[in-house]
């Protein structure tokens, strides 16, 4: 299964699940990364990390490690 | 009439304002709050939120409390915790009578999450929908009446740009307050716990609400309703939500601002602009203030004559006031730039850019804003560190804050740089200044990297590091609002630091004046009055308490190539750095010189000679040594106090005092003697 950190810039995907065991999972869900939601990887920072996603009409930056717990 | 209401000391109803970050909460607060808005301490911690009476013209008799933005009622960082605690169990105010929550209409599905939690917790709620203009820009609208009926609570619109909707909000607030008198107050239901299933259910509900209340004008107009609803049905079937594109303009700008190379270049340009603005704009203003107060001091001593009272005014009070006001320009400019960067949406991007490098040395992208504020003052900076959820990262950020070149050092560096700069090459001054700034940033990163190695010994808790931040849509900063906030911050700062500096200034004056106030000068009748005066001054100082203290610590000063007079000034700086310049002026002007003009201190410094060796006291090497000392030494009582408060113990402040002060001393000794060995005078 692919994870959100494997998206390439400009690519869209639908979230299948968020890995519960990840410590930031709850916050990631709270901020709107819920299953069924479509996201797009917009930018990555100069050092390839963090990643900026378009979600629910806004842009949220999260670390690669955190994007890894988002199944797509 | 509100006898049943919480407050122990007042009958005024309390309205608490909450909302997710970037939902227009602060704008609304600024509309509602009166001029006498004050920042208050949350018991057990420091300044965090503002309380104000609602502006009297609004005709609502209530206090309004503004607290940091929250995403949900389950806090992850200390600043969020304060907001949530304020809702449930504020020790002084109890829980609020009314909660106003702001919601960005274009972010409805995300922002309603907090609203739902507040409703479920039984708060007496008014929902304020903001940023409808952005929704309309995307050809959509919102049905407020429907939203109100599905949520089962009061909903009003508010336009932050012109204040439209404030009347209705006030009306509803008045109704609610009337209602308070009639019914028993309901206490909020216990706090939220982490529960994924509940969260997903909640979001599902919110998404249904969003579909109900958001009206898509384009789909309606183009007659594609059928296809649209068909698509929507499909979407529902697939359990998949349509993709909503963020603001177009923001997407375009981000292609540049977050670009691999351009983004980095722009970041450095923005940062250099910030620091050069401090130097180029604030410096002349600071010189002007300094000069003004020196003139005032000379004028008053001329006016009042030669007596103790005159000395107290022109030697204690006026220089004291001067050293309080001298960094007002820098503080104002830095706060203004910070406000504008924040308002424009760039600050979050800056934090994202530096997250990776900072995380390598145990910091976090969220350390960026505190570190930047540290260039104004370590105190607001330490408070800004509260947005960092991870304790180790937060403590490390607070730990290195004293290394940021705060405004109190500017007058010191200005003096030392002026001394180092050759008269025929004035442009070198700016370069020296920049070098000092770069050096202090580099040192802070090195220190952070080293201390990070011992992080597990300093903070035991094992927590995961995270960086989750919303990059808000770019918008033009509102200069009037920014100015108002910068002014408010600067005023707050002056109010806090001012009295301390003033008292120190008086203490220093007393220490350099007594006990030998009226020394006996032999043959004074044969000498010209001016010379008697100068002899008296120098005798008075060398017999003063300050001199006794200075001579006591002279053995420590010697290795740095400095004598007791610089020693006294340095001792004074451990209370507050900015005292250095005025104390040098006090000590050297009275010992060596009676000249009265702007450059008198520089001249006095150039002429100052060591008592033992007769060699010049201020040389290139000792002056550079002093710069190094000021870069590292932990010389600020207020910073120590805030470190203790924000870290909840003495460990971090004591570490700061020991590490930074010994680092300052050792490095200064090495640099001064190294330079001398290399042949630099």
């Amino acid at each position: 299964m692919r994870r959100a950190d494997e998206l390439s810039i400009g690519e869209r995907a639908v979230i299948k699940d968020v890995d519960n065991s990840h410590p930031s999972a709850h916050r990631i869900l709270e901020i709107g990364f819920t299953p069924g939601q479509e996201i797009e990887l917009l930018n990555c920072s100069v050092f390839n990390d963090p990643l900026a996603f378009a979600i629910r009409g806004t842009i949220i930056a999260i670390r690669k490690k955190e994007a890894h717990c988002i199944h797509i | 009439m509100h006898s049943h209401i919480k407050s122990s000391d007042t009958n005024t109803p309390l309205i608490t304002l909450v909302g997710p970050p970037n939902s227009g909460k602060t704008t609304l607060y600024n509309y509602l709050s009166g001029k006498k808005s004050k920042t208050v301490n949350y018991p057990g911690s420091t300044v965090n939120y503002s309380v104000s009476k609602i502006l009297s013209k609004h005709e609502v008799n209530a206090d309004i409390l503004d607290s940091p933005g929250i995403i949900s009622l389950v806090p992850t960082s200390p600043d969020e915790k304060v907001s949530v605690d304020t809702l449930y169990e504020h020790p002084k105010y109890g829980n609020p009578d009314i909660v106003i929550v702001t919601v960005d209409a274009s972010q409805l599905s995300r922002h309603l999450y907090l609203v739902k939690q507040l409703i479920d917790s039984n708060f007496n709620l008014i929902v304020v929908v903001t940023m409808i203009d952005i929704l309309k820009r995307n050809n959509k609208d919102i049905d407020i009446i429907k939203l109100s009926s599905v949520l089962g609570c009061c909903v009003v619109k508010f336009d932050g740009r012109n204040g439209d909707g404030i009347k209705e909000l006030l009306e509803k607030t008045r109704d609610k307050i009337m209602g308070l008198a009639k019914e028993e107050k309901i206490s909020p239901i216990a706090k939220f716990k982490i529960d994924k299933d509940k969260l997903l259910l909640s979001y599902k509900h919110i998404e249904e609400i969003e579909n109900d209340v958001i009206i898509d004008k384009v789909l309606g107009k183009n007659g594609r309703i059928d296809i649209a609803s068909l698509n929507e049905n499909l979407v529902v079937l697939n359990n998949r939500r349509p993709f909503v594109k963020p603001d177009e303009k923001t997407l375009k700008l981000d292609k540049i601002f977050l670009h691999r190379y351009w983004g980095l270049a722009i970041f450095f340009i923005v940062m250099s602009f910030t620091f050069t603005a401090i130097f180029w704009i604030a410096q002349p203003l600071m010189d002007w203030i300094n000069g003004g107060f020196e003139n005032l001091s000379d004028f008053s001593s001329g006016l009042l004559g030669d007596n103790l009272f005159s000395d107290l005014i022109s030697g204690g009070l006026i220089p004291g006031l001067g050293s309080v006001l001298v960094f007002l320009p820098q503080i104002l400019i830095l706060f203004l730039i910070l406000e504008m960067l924040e308002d424009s949406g760039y600050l979050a991007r800056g934090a994202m850019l530096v997250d990776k490098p900072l995380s390598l040395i145990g910091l976090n992208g969220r350390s960026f804003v505190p570190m930047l504020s540290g260039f104004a003052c370590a105190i607001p900076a330490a408070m800004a560190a509260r947005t960092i959820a991870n304790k180790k990262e937060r403590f490390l950020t607070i730990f290195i804050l004293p290394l940021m070149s705060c405004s109190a050092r500017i007058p010191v560096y200005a003096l030392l740089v002026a001394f180092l700069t050759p008269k025929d090459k004035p442009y070198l001054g700016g370069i020296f200044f920049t070098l000092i700034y770069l050096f202090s940033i580099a040192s802070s990163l090195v220190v952070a990297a080293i201390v990070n190695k011992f992080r597990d010994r300093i903070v035991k808790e094992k927590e995961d590091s995270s960086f989750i931040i919303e990059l808000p849509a770019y918008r033009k900063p509102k200069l009037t609002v920014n100015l108002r906030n910068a002014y408010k911050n600067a005023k707050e700062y002056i109010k806090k630091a001012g009295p301390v500096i003033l008292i120190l200034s008086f203490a220093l004056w007393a220490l350099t004046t007594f006990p030998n106030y009226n020394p006996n000068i032999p043959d004074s009748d044969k000498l010209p009055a001016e010379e008697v005066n100068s002899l008296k001054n120098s005798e008075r100082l060398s017999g003063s308490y300050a001199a006794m203290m200075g001579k006591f610590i002279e053995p420590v000063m010697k290795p740095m190539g400095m004598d007791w007079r610089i020693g006294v000034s340095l001792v004074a700086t451990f209370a507050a750095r900015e005292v250095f310049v005025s104390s040098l002026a006090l000590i050297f002007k009275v010992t060596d010189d009676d000249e009265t003009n702007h450059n008198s201190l520089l001249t006095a410094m150039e002429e100052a000679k060591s008592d033992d060796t007769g060699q010049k006291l201020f040389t290139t090497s000792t002056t550079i040594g002093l710069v190094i000392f000021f870069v590292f030494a932990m010389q600020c009582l207020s910073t120590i106090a805030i470190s203790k408060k924000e870290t909840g113990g003495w460990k971090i402040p004591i570490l700061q005092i020991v590490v930074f002060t010994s680092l300052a001393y050792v490095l200064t000794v090495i640099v001064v003697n190294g330079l001398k060995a290399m042949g630099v005078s």
Side-chain angles (χ1 to χ4, degrees):
Chain A
M1 191 187 276
R2 284 182 83 203
R3 317 270 186 138
D5 60 329
E6 295 163 42
L7 284 170
S8 43
I9 288 178
E11 196 184 348
R12 282 188 199 174
V14 178
I15 298 173
K16 291 214 175 76
D17 197 9
V18 174
D19 186 353
N20 245 351
S21 60
H22 192 280
S24 301
H26 192 253
R27 191 27 75 93
I28 284 172
L29 285 162
E30 275 185 333
I31 208 159
F33 288 87
T34 51
Q37 181 62 51
E38 190 169 14
I39 54 169
E40 178 184 329
L41 179 62
L42 292 175
N43 285 295
C44 66
S45 182
V46 185
F47 308 97
N48 286 326
D49 193 10
L51 309 171
F53 290 97
I55 176 162
R56 294 174 186 264
T58 189
I59 308 169
I60 308 245
I62 56 177
R63 284 191 185 153
K64 261 193 157 157
K65 192 179 81 182
E66 280 150 343
H68 189 71
C69 79
I70 302 171
H71 297 255
I72 49 169
Chain B
M1 61 177 192
H2 304 297
S3 54
H4 59 283
I5 293 165
K6 45 68 227 183
S7 17
S8 47
D9 53 342
T10 162
N11 285 330
T12 319
L14 176 72
I15 303 173
T16 296
L17 192 54
V18 291
N22 311 311
S23 63
K25 183 172 65 68
T26 309
T27 315
L28 179 61
Y29 178 75
N30 287 339
Y31 267 99
L32 291 173
S33 64
K35 284 207 179 72
K36 278 192 186 148
S37 167
K38 54 177 181 181
T39 35
V40 244
N41 292 351
Y42 187 88
S45 68
T46 27
V47 185
N48 201 241
Y49 51 75
S50 313
V51 180
S52 166
K53 272 225 156 311
I54 290 191
L55 261 184
S56 54
K57 71 166 185 198
H58 293 325
E59 290 169 346
V60 173
N61 178 32
D63 287 327
I64 183 144
L65 190 151
D66 186 24
S67 54
I70 43 174
I71 289 162
S72 83
L73 293 179
V74 183
T76 57
S77 59
D79 65 323
E80 292 173 357
K81 192 173 180 309
V82 168
S83 286
V84 175
D85 286 351
T86 315
L87 282 172
Y88 283 100
E89 50 188 2
H90 192 290
K92 185 170 161 214
Y93 293 97
N95 44 43
D97 300 289
I98 298 167
V99 174
I100 295 182
V101 56
T102 48
V103 169
D104 176 346
S106 67
Q107 289 292 306
L108 205 61
S109 76
R110 291 178 52 242
H111 289 182
L112 278 184
Y113 182 66
L114 175 66
V115 175
K116 272 217 78 175
Q117 288 189 327
L118 288 165
I119 292 173
D120 292 347
S121 301
N122 248 345
F123 284 107
N124 194 355
L125 206 61
I126 300 178
V127 179
V128 177
V129 180
T130 61
M131 323 244 180
I132 296 174
D133 54 308
I134 295 174
L135 198 69
K136 285 189 172 155
R137 217 198 287 161
N138 298 328
N139 281 312
K140 287 176 184 166
D141 206 347
I142 182 167
D143 187 339
I144 292 291
I145 298 163
K146 206 166 193 178
L147 183 62
S148 172
S149 77
V150 283
L151 287 177
C153 71
C154 179
V155 181
V156 292
K157 290 186 196 181
F158 174 68
D159 189 331
R161 295 167 309 163
N162 50 25
D164 273 1
I166 194 98
K167 277 212 178 98
E168 208 196 330
L169 170 63
L170 292 166
E171 223 164 82
K172 301 269 186 199
T173 313
R174 259 175 248 135
D175 291 349
K176 285 252 182 214
I177 292 175
M178 296 284 275
L180 288 176
K182 289 178 198 137
E183 46 202 271
E184 257 327 285
K185 188 177 171 181
I186 315 155
S187 292
I189 293 170
K191 287 190 183 181
F192 270 80
K193 286 192 192 77
I194 292 176
D195 183 342
K196 186 178 172 185
D197 292 335
K198 214 173 155 190
L199 186 152
L200 292 181
L201 207 67
S202 186
Y203 254 114
K204 192 142 276 169
H205 190 192
I206 288 164
E207 284 157 8
E208 280 162 19
I209 295 175
E210 193 193 26
N211 285 340
D212 268 359
V213 298
I214 297 285
I215 306 151
D216 200 318
K217 289 180 189 162
V218 175
L219 293 180
K221 266 185 218 152
N222 290 357
R224 283 193 283 147
I225 291 175
D226 288 343
I227 306 165
S229 61
L230 200 70
N231 276 341
E232 213 163 50
N233 285 337
L234 271 175
V235 161
V236 173
L237 279 177
N238 291 339
N239 187 25
R240 184 182 147 167
R241 282 173 43 78
F243 184 76
V244 186
K245 238 180 157 46
D247 182 50
E248 282 294 337
K249 205 174 70 193
T250 301
L251 289 178
K252 277 189 195 136
L253 282 171
D254 266 347
K255 287 286 168 228
I256 306 164
F257 283 113
L258 294 179
H259 185 270
R260 190 162 287 269
Y261 307 114
W262 290 120
L264 204 61
I266 289 168
F267 178 78
F268 281 113
I269 291 169
V270 170
M271 289 302 105
S272 332
F273 170 77
T274 307
F275 293 125
T276 43
I278 296 170
F279 179 68
W280 294 114
I281 305 172
Q283 189 57 46
L285 290 170
M286 291 168 105
D287 284 347
W288 187 75
I289 293 175
N290 259 335
F293 275 92
E294 256 179 64
N295 283 338
L296 191 66
S297 177
D298 292 343
F299 175 74
S300 83
S301 91
L303 196 71
L304 296 166
D306 184 22
N307 54 53
L308 187 60
F309 178 69
S310 161
D311 274 0
L312 178 70
I313 298 298
S314 46
L317 179 69
I318 294 174
L321 284 176
S323 51
V324 173
L325 290 178
V326 73
F327 25 73
L328 195 59
Q330 193 205 358
I331 293 253
L332 259 175
I333 289 167
L334 197 66
F335 277 138
L336 182 64
I337 294 176
L338 264 172
E339 278 283 331
M340 286 168 68
L341 285 178
E342 160 113 70
D343 209 10
S344 68
Y346 187 74
L347 220 47
R349 270 105 184 154
M352 177 188 169
L353 273 176
V354 296
D355 178 61
K356 184 73 191 179
L358 288 186
S359 68
L360 293 177
I361 52 171
L363 297 168
N364 187 294
R366 286 187 187 267
S367 311
F368 175 60
V369 174
M371 284 166 75
L372 211 54
S373 320
F375 283 90
C377 177
I379 295 157
M383 287 186 268
R386 285 182 184 174
T387 56
I388 306 167
N390 180 291
K391 201 170 170 186
K392 280 181 184 140
E393 291 172 343
R394 186 168 68 250
F395 280 22
L396 189 58
T397 305
I398 292 173
F399 183 82
I400 61 160
L401 284 178
L403 291 182
M404 304 292 127
S405 232
C406 72
S407 51
R409 283 154 164 134
I410 291 258
V412 178
Y413 291 154
L415 178 74
L416 298 175
V417 163
F419 188 82
L420 285 174
T421 310
K423 294 244 164 13
D424 51 330
K425 291 173 190 146
Y427 59 90
L428 280 177
I431 297 176
F432 287 154
F433 237 96
T434 316
L435 284 177
I436 296 175
Y437 269 79
L438 289 178
F439 178 70
S440 66
I441 295 171
S443 322
S444 69
L445 298 180
V446 172
V447 169
I450 295 168
V451 174
N452 186 37
K453 300 272 177 230
F454 306 98
R455 61 192 293 180
D456 295 330
R457 273 192 230 169
I458 299 165
V459 180
K460 294 281 187 293
E461 286 96 327
K462 280 218 182 317
E463 285 173 317
D464 288 275
S465 165
S466 91
F467 182 78
I468 301 173
I469 198 167
E470 183 178 1
L471 306 181
Y474 287 107
R475 57 177 197 178
K476 225 162 91 194
K478 274 179 278 191
L479 196 61
T480 45
V481 178
N482 300 150
L483 268 170
R484 189 181 146 174
N485 286 340
Y487 167 76
K488 232 162 76 180
N489 281 334
K491 201 175 74 184
E492 201 64 37
Y493 169 81
I494 294 292
K495 266 205 305 219
K496 278 226 174 67
V500 179
I501 299 168
L502 206 59
I503 289 167
L504 281 171
S505 177
F506 274 121
L508 201 71
W509 171 82
L511 285 173
T512 50
T513 307
F514 300 108
N516 201 15
Y517 176 64
N518 212 350
N520 193 20
I521 307 292
D523 306 324
S524 60
D525 42 344
K526 288 178 199 154
L527 294 165
E530 239 173 59
E531 201 165 322
V532 175
N533 225 356
S534 148
L535 277 173
K536 260 191 182 174
N537 282 342
S538 90
E539 273 300 303
R540 182 184 299 156
L541 183 78
S542 56
S544 70
Y545 292 121
M548 293 174 209
M549 276 161 58
K551 280 170 185 153
F552 180 70
I553 60 158
E554 195 161 53
V556 185
M557 301 305 297
K558 276 266 165 66
M560 296 197 286
M562 297 164 199
D563 74 345
W564 68 269
R565 289 172 294 182
I566 305 179
V568 171
S569 308
L570 282 184
V571 166
T573 61
F574 276 87
R577 294 179 178 96
E578 49 275 19
V579 184
F580 187 69
V581 178
S582 53
S583 61
L584 272 191
L586 210 61
I587 290 167
F588 282 95
K589 268 212 263 179
V590 291
T591 50
D592 282 354
D593 214 47
D594 56 347
E595 198 183 331
T596 45
N597 64 49
H598 279 231
N599 289 319
S600 59
L601 179 55
L602 278 180
T603 323
M605 281 166 65
E606 244 158 69
E607 285 166 4
K609 295 202 171 64
S610 163
D611 285 343
D612 316 333
T613 57
Q615 281 173 340
K616 280 198 171 177
L617 190 60
F618 288 93
T619 60
T620 309
S621 58
T622 52
T623 311
I624 293 177
L626 275 172
V627 170
I628 301 284
F629 191 86
F630 273 92
V631 166
F632 290 99
M634 176 79 175
Q635 296 155 293
C636 176
L637 283 180
S638 321
T639 307
I640 294 168
I642 196 93
S643 278
K644 198 228 150 206
K645 265 185 178 169
E646 290 294 316
T647 59
W650 280 108
K651 204 182 215 170
I652 298 292
I654 286 173
L655 263 177
Q656 283 175 313
I657 297 170
V658 173
V659 170
F660 290 140
T661 307
S662 47
L663 206 58
Y665 184 71
V666 171
L667 285 176
T668 306
V669 170
I670 292 173
V671 166
V672 170
N673 294 295
L675 283 172
K676 278 190 175 149
M678 281 158 58
V680 180
S681 64

